[in-house]
């Protein structure tokens, strides 16, 4: 038994050494994995901090009422119309229709991994949001301030979460499917703009606190960055580790 344990430990250490050499030899894999882990860690820590603040009623959430009241005082008919229109981009029905259509188009184009990535991003974000809402049960701002219908607890914002989970993953996939620089630049600008606009609309409409929206963005970023690491870096590391030709760059 002792020899078996020693042998198993030795094999694990050897595989660890080989994996380390894989990352050392493939600098692009190393750089992207490092950036991905930084993003996952940073956004994950932000989620944890905001959750702690909400549960404790202190920290960042103390600024929420002041921000909401300031925005309410500075509303205008034009901004209200814009916010009401933009917020629908994060509605559950909109997300389901867009995600399903995109996934179907990718399947028809035989981009099965990308189709799975869209489904995983949106479904995973929805589950994470639902579980957190149920566990925290944070009340929304005063209903008298609302300019849009809303149901359920406030924290985190489902619209903010899904705006990142859907539109960011669509931008990443489109970026990887096209080699032209102009569409790539447009995607880099438009995807964050849509995500930020949807989240900001929820604050403007007073159906969410600011910390709800920020946490929603952070939850989706954590989940999506993890998926992208697994989807891109995982197969590449296994290819290199297995001694075969690296995946195309």
């Amino acid at each position: 038994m002792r020899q078996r344990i020693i042998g198993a430990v030795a094999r694990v250490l050897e595989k660890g050494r080989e994996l380390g050499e894989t990352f050392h030899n493939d600098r692009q894999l190393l750089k992207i994995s490092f950036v991905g882990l930084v993003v996952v860690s940073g956004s994950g820590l932000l989620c944890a901090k905001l959750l702690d603040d909400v549960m404790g009623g202190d920290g960042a959430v103390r600024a929420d009422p002041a921000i909401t009241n300031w925005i309410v005082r500075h509303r205008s008919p034009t901004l209200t119309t814009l916010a009401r229109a933009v917020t629908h981009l994060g509605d559950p029905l909109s997300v389901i229709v867009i995600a399903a259509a995109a996934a179907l188009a990718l399947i028809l184009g035989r981009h099965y991994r990308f189709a799975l990535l869209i489904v995983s991003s949106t479904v995973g974000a929805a589950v994470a949001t639902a579980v957190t809402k149920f566990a925290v049960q944070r009340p929304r701002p005063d209903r008298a301030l609302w300019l849009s219908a809303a149901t359920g607890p406030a924290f985190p914002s489902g619209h903010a979460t899904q705006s990142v989970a859907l539109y960011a993953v669509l931008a990443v996939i489109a970026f990887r499917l096209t080699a032209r620089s102009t569409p790539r630049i447009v995607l880099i600008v438009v995807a964050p703009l849509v995500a930020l606009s949807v989240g900001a609309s929820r604050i403007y409409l007073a159906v969410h606190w600011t910390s709800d929206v920020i946490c929603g963005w952070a939850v989706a970023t954590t989940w999506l960055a993890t998926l992208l690491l697994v989807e891109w870096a995982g197969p590449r590391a296994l290819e290199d580790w297995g001694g075969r030709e690296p995946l195309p760059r």
Side-chain angles (χ1 to χ4, degrees):
M1 176 63 73
R2 182 180 179 183
Q3 291 299 322
R4 290 181 181 178
I5 294 175
I6 294 174
V9 171
R11 287 193 294 273
V12 170
L13 292 175
E14 177 61 21
K15 291 298 182 181
R17 183 188 65 79
E18 292 176 0
L19 185 59
E21 289 180 354
T22 295
F23 280 90
H24 177 75
N25 295 330
D26 191 336
R27 293 306 176 91
Q28 187 178 29
L29 174 63
L30 178 62
K31 290 178 182 178
I32 292 181
S33 297
F34 176 75
V35 171
L37 289 173
V38 169
V39 172
V40 170
S41 301
S43 55
L45 288 173
L46 178 57
C47 292
K49 175 63 169 65
L50 290 172
L51 176 61
D52 181 68
D53 289 349
V54 169
M55 297 301 287
D58 55 8
V61 303
R62 289 183 175 178
D64 282 337
I67 295 173
T68 297
N69 291 333
W70 185 90
I71 291 174
V72 169
R73 290 196 303 269
H74 291 81
R75 284 170 172 168
S76 72
T78 301
L79 288 176
T80 298
T81 300
L82 183 61
R84 282 174 168 163
V86 168
T87 202
H88 290 306
L89 293 174
D91 286 350
L93 180 59
S94 299
V95 170
I96 291 172
V97 171
I98 294 172
L104 179 60
L106 289 167
I107 291 172
L108 293 176
R110 298 186 178 182
H111 298 292
Y112 304 115
R113 282 170 57 183
F114 286 156
L116 179 60
L117 185 60
I118 290 178
V119 174
S120 300
S121 180
T122 53
V123 173
V127 171
T129 302
V131 170
T132 307
K133 281 178 177 288
F134 178 78
V136 177
Q137 292 290 319
R138 186 187 193 188
R140 293 177 184 267
D142 186 348
R143 185 181 291 269
L145 303 176
W146 293 9
L147 293 181
S148 178
T151 58
F155 185 86
S157 166
H159 280 66
T161 307
Q162 289 294 355
S163 66
V164 173
L166 176 60
Y167 300 110
V169 77
L170 288 177
V172 169
I173 292 171
F175 185 91
R176 290 171 62 178
L177 289 177
T178 180
R180 298 175 59 187
S181 58
T182 300
R184 285 185 165 189
I185 293 173
V186 172
L187 289 168
I188 291 173
V189 174
V190 171
L193 182 61
V194 172
L196 290 173
S197 298
V198 171
S201 73
R202 306 307 285 173
I203 302 171
Y204 180 90
L205 297 171
V207 291
H208 275 292
W209 304 106
T210 301
S211 56
D212 299 337
V213 170
I214 294 175
C215 187
W217 287 333
V219 167
T221 300
T222 304
W223 176 237
L224 180 55
T226 301
L227 288 176
L228 291 175
L229 270 178
V230 172
E231 188 272 335
W232 187 88
R236 185 182 183 113
L238 291 175
E239 288 283 348
D240 291 354
W241 194 11
R244 295 184 290 274
E245 289 295 321
L247 294 174
R249 287 166 171 73

